[in-house]
Amino acid sequence: MERPSWVPDGVDVERPSAARVYDHYLGGLHNFAADRAMAAAAVADWPELPRIMQANRAFLRRAVRHLADQGIDQFLDIGSGIPTVGNVHEVAQAVRPDARVVYVDIDPVAVAHSRALLADDPRTGVVQADLVDVDGVLGAPATRSLLDLSRPVGLLVVALLHFVGDERRPADVLARYREALAPGSHLVISHASADGAPDRAGEHQSLYRRTATPMTMRTRDEVAGLLDGFTLVEPGLVFLPQWRPDDPSAPLTAPERFTGYAAVGRRD
Ligand SMILES: C[S@@+](CC[C@H](N)C(=O)[O-])C[C@H]1O[C@@H](n2cnc3c(N)ncnc32)[C@H](O)[C@@H]1O
């Protein structure tokens, strides 16, 4: 059985992991036969899926580059998954070599892989925590030692909020982060929505029914509500490929089929 040296002890590579399935969609190398089989089954039902995941990841990279260009040199990436293909510290450090990144995820498999992959990088840290545990995330030893919360932070909550149901009050949670972070900090979000592809809403939800995390699709107004109190930077809340595309002159066909919204908001 394949078991490369980067796999931490105790991680079962014969059981699919949502984080490694996602890594496979992105073209990463941190996945196994069981993960690829689950990915193949989902793609058979929904051929656009890898393209949507890649569009989300491409948005994440563009947003991090934009914030680094604005002078932000510390990032808190919550719901980071496995730091894979074009991960946040690589993108940020390409602009600001001394940039520091704390990766946070609730999933012990993603966290174990992240710790193993980043063990030798002193400018990154890994925390296992739930987004809604604001004190736990901000007070974690890795957060406190790597990030200076009196200066602006790039807070990334990308492709995560649709796993946080309304009963967990995601808008209040984001407001608590906003209050805790210094003025000039920025929030980056993307969020699944069936607005542009109502025919695909069922697939989205059933895909994740196979994992421990049910999914809450939100409308544009509902996603905008999560951003209350932040000042949106241009171009505002848009479909994933429409947020500051690398080549603005390239034609974009049916951006709504990417079934996700993207936005960056500033904490004034
Ligand atoms: C689809 S992945 C997104 C990965 C990365 N942010 C990106 O957009 O490329 C969602 C991640 O959120 C994590 N997650 C789900 N609920 C969470 C929560 N309440 N707190 C922290 N992480 C969570 C999952 O374990 C998973 O790794």
Side-chain angles (χ1 to χ4, degrees), residues 18-19 22 26 53 56-60 77-82 84 88 104-108 110 128-133 137 156-164 168 190 208 213:
Y22 182 67
L26 296 178
M53 306 271 185
N56 174 69
R57 195 72 183 180
F59 158 69
L60 171 70
D77 183 2
I78 309 183
S80 48
I82 298 176
T84 180
V88 172
V104 181
D105 206 285
I106 199 171
D107 172 11
Q128 182 175 354
D130 187 330
L131 166 82
V132 306
D133 178 11
V137 170
L156 315 177
V157 186
V158 179
L160 162 54
L161 290 162
H162 41 247
F163 297 121
V164 181
R168 306 195 77 201
S190 68
Y208 281 92
T213 17

Side-chain angles (χ1 to χ4, degrees), residues 16-18 21 25 32-43 207-208 210-211:
S17 138
V21 170
Y25 287 131
F32 296 96
D35 307 312
R36 295 190 283 270
M38 182 169 155
V43 171
L207 179 66
Y208 281 92
R210 291 178 222 167
T211 72

Side-chain angles (χ1 to χ4, degrees), residues 1-9 13 30 32 112-113 115-117:
M1 185 199 48
E2 50 173 343
R3 193 175 175 96
S5 57
W6 55 265
V7 179
D9 290 344
V13 300
H30 300 105
F32 296 96
H113 283 305
R115 289 207 167 114
L117 291 171

